């Protein structure tokens, strides 16, 4: 199964994660989730498979999180999912699915939990931070 990445090309973390996938030789299915949001069923599965809570996957910065008052504990998971369906920008990214698991790759190094360094090789983020040093 090729990896799947729920991607936002405007996000540096998402771009770095996609670059790591490609460097590993993967031809991932790239889903720009703002253009093609996942269905509720898919979103629920992504969250469950990642081992995170619905709240863990909510994006706070650069989204309507504060305006909607989503920090309030009164919101149930079902209600938070409703908000994520209505406002896909509330889904934190990138979420990557491989045959080894599903992860919210923030930071992008979390990808190493479901792909090995050997698969990726030496990798430097676009800001110059070394993720995997070159072997001597």
């Amino acid at each position: 199964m090729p990896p799947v990445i729920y991607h936002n090309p405007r996000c540096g973390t998402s771009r770095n994660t996609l670059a790591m996938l490609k460097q590993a030789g993967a031809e991932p299915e790239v889903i720009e989730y703002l253009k093609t949001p996942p269905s509720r069923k898919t979103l629920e599965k992504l969250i469950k498979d990642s081992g995170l809570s619905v709240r863990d996957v909510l994006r706070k910065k650069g989204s309507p999180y504060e305006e909607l008052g989503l920090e309030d504990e009164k919101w149930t998971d079902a209600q938070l999912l409703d908000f994520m369906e209505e406002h896909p920008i509330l889904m934190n990214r990138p979420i990557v699915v491989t045959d080894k698991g599903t992860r919210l790759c923030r930071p992008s190094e979390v990808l190493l939990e479901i792909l090995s360094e050997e698969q990726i090789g030496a990798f430097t983020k676009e800001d110059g931070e070394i993720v995997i040093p070159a072997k001597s």
Side-chain angles (χ1 to χ4, degrees), residues 35 39 45 48-49 58 62 72 85 89 107 117-118 124:
K35 293 180 181 176
S39 69
K45 181 167 176 33
K48 180 180 179 279
D49 291 352
L58 278 174
D72 193 322
E85 281 186 296
I89 192 72
E117 288 186 21
E118 291 75 33
T124 302

Side-chain angles (χ1 to χ4, degrees), residues 116-119 121-123 132-136:
S116 69
E117 288 186 21
E118 291 75 33
Q119 286 175 283
F123 186 81
I132 304 171
K135 303 232 191 265
S136 327

Side-chain angles (χ1 to χ4, degrees), residues 20-124:
M20 288 172 72
L21 281 166
K22 288 183 174 182
Q23 187 166 311
E27 283 302 324
E29 177 183 353
V30 178
I31 299 172
E32 289 189 32
Y33 71 94
L34 294 176
K35 293 180 181 176
T36 310
S39 69
R40 184 182 189 106
K41 183 178 178 181
T42 299
L43 189 55
E44 289 172 338
K45 181 167 176 33
L46 290 169
I47 293 168
K48 180 180 179 279
D49 291 352
S50 72
L52 299 172
S53 71
V54 174
R55 280 200 178 276
D56 291 337
V57 178
L58 278 174
R59 180 168 190 251
K60 296 168 183 71
K61 185 178 162 190
S63 76
Y65 180 86
E66 286 184 22
E67 295 87 31
L68 294 169
L70 299 183
E71 69 280 351
D72 193 322
E73 294 294 323
K74 73 179 181 181
W75 302 113
T76 65
D77 285 352
Q79 290 171 315
L80 293 174
L81 286 164
D82 290 341
F83 283 115
M84 291 172 81
E85 281 186 296
E86 187 176 341
H87 306 278
I89 192 72
L90 285 168
M91 185 177 112
N92 217 338
R93 80 288 177 200
I95 295 177
V96 177
V97 180
T98 72
D99 56 358
K100 293 183 180 179
T102 301
R103 296 291 183 277
L104 171 60
C105 293
R106 294 197 73 77
S108 53
E109 294 88 328
V110 172
L111 182 64
L112 296 174
E113 295 176 12
I114 53 176
L115 281 182
S116 69
E117 288 186 21
E118 291 75 33
Q119 286 175 283
I120 298 169
F123 186 81
T124 302

